[in-house]
Amino acid sequence: MFKRLAFVPLFFCLGLVVLSILVSYAPQKTELQFPSSLDELKNLSSTLNDFRKENPTYVLTLFATAYIFKQTFAVPGSVFLNLLAGALYGVWQGFILCCSLTACGASFCYLLSSLVGSDAVEFYFHDRLQAFKEKLAENRNELPFFLLFLRLFPISPNWALNMASGVVGVPMHLFFFSVFIGLMPYNYICVSSGLLLSELNDVSDIMSWKNLGRMALSATVALLPSLLMKLVKKKR
């Protein structure tokens, strides 16, 4: 069990090496790091927007690699990268980019937990894993809708769902699309807020009542087809 755990720091270090190499090839010698505050994010956005004028491929590669790294290893702060996507690419390009990278990064987390094995995950997250297994058993006949529900109305953190799904054998294709579709409302709100990055004073400004209302509405609309199908099945 613990031998397999060695793969986690190994892949983590490999990811850091790849990011370090990319940073070393920056068009200008400047300090690039994951932002941890809005001020750092604004400075990073300004720097990368300057880079994009002459090196758009480099900026996209750096952004995608950093995003997938964060998602794969459940590194906190993805909200800053969603905001950055809006500032760099606008609403729709940034939105599609973030949805795609979120699903890819979560899938790598899924594969990593599968590699580590159920014994290790259950040893460290026994209660969460057992609860997830029970819920999957209860909803096995409507698994796609259940997975979508978990993303739209998260009961557990997304990183915990990613890890648990890889261990209990949730089909990869269902997992990928539940992440891609289920996190659309959240990604859209964050990316669209990135357009107004200069006006934000705190990350909590993103989760205003207006934006929360939009997310709830988007989630409800996304779940309507599944609710209708459930009603049809009950009538039959």
Side-chain angles (χ1 to χ4, degrees), residues 203-221:
V203 176
S204 61
D205 293 344
I206 301 169
M207 294 303 167
S208 63
W209 286 110
K210 182 178 180 180
N211 284 341
L212 288 173
R214 288 177 179 174
M215 289 177 65
L217 179 61
S218 300
T220 302
V221 170

Side-chain angles (χ1 to χ4, degrees), residues 96-173:
I96 296 300
L97 180 62
C98 284
C99 289
S100 301
L101 293 176
T102 299
C104 289
S107 296
F108 282 125
C109 184
Y110 169 107
L111 292 172
L112 187 60
S113 66
S114 299
L115 179 64
V116 169
S118 59
D119 291 340
V121 176
E122 188 158 1
F123 179 81
Y124 288 104
F125 306 103
H126 175 76
D127 293 340
R128 289 182 186 273
L129 192 60
Q130 286 301 119
F132 189 47
K133 284 181 178 178
E134 292 172 5
K135 289 295 182 181
L136 284 179
E138 292 173 9
N139 295 275
R140 61 182 178 276
N141 294 325
E142 298 168 339
L143 189 56
F145 306 133
F146 175 66
L147 293 174
L148 188 60
F149 175 84
L150 289 179
R151 298 295 177 173
L152 292 168
F153 300 98
I155 300 171
S156 297
N158 279 306
W159 63 265
L161 291 175
N162 297 342
M163 293 177 62
S165 296
V167 168
V168 300
V170 172
M172 183 69 168
H173 65 287

Side-chain angles (χ1 to χ4, degrees), residues 3-188:
K3 288 182 179 179
R4 288 188 177 185
L5 279 176
F7 283 109
V8 177
L10 174 62
F11 287 130
F12 185 86
C13 290
L14 285 175
L16 287 178
V17 169
V18 172
L19 283 172
S20 298
I21 292 172
L22 284 173
V23 169
S24 70
Y25 280 94
Q28 300 174 16
K29 294 298 179 183
T30 184
E31 185 177 351
L32 296 175
Q33 60 183 16
F34 286 116
S36 58
S37 68
L38 276 178
D39 287 335
E40 291 180 2
L41 180 61
K42 290 173 184 178
N43 292 332
L44 180 60
S45 172
S46 177
T47 299
L48 293 181
N49 267 315
D50 289 339
F51 288 175
R52 281 188 69 230
K53 295 174 184 177
E54 300 293 335
N55 300 276
T57 302
Y58 170 80
V59 173
L60 179 60
T61 303
L62 179 64
F63 178 84
T65 304
Y67 200 108
I68 289 176
F69 176 83
K70 269 185 171 287
Q71 290 290 320
T72 300
F73 299 104
V75 179
S78 292
V79 61
F80 289 114
L81 295 187
N82 284 353
L83 289 168
L84 182 59
L88 292 175
Y89 298 105
V91 174
W92 293 112
Q93 287 186 2
F95 171 62
I96 296 300
L97 180 62
C98 284
C99 289
S100 301
L101 293 176
T102 299
C104 289
S107 296
F108 282 125
C109 184
Y110 169 107
L111 292 172
L112 187 60
S113 66
S114 299
L115 179 64
V116 169
S118 59
D119 291 340
V121 176
E122 188 158 1
F123 179 81
Y124 288 104
F125 306 103
H126 175 76
D127 293 340
R128 289 182 186 273
L129 192 60
Q130 286 301 119
F132 189 47
K133 284 181 178 178
E134 292 172 5
K135 289 295 182 181
L136 284 179
E138 292 173 9
N139 295 275
R140 61 182 178 276
N141 294 325
E142 298 168 339
L143 189 56
F145 306 133
F146 175 66
L147 293 174
L148 188 60
F149 175 84
L150 289 179
R151 298 295 177 173
L152 292 168
F153 300 98
I155 300 171
S156 297
N158 279 306
W159 63 265
L161 291 175
N162 297 342
M163 293 177 62
S165 296
V167 168
V168 300
V170 172
M172 183 69 168
H173 65 287
L174 293 181
F175 173 83
F176 182 91
F177 285 107
S178 70
V179 176
F180 186 92
I181 297 171
L183 292 179
M184 277 184 169
Y186 172 76
N187 285 335
Y188 178 79

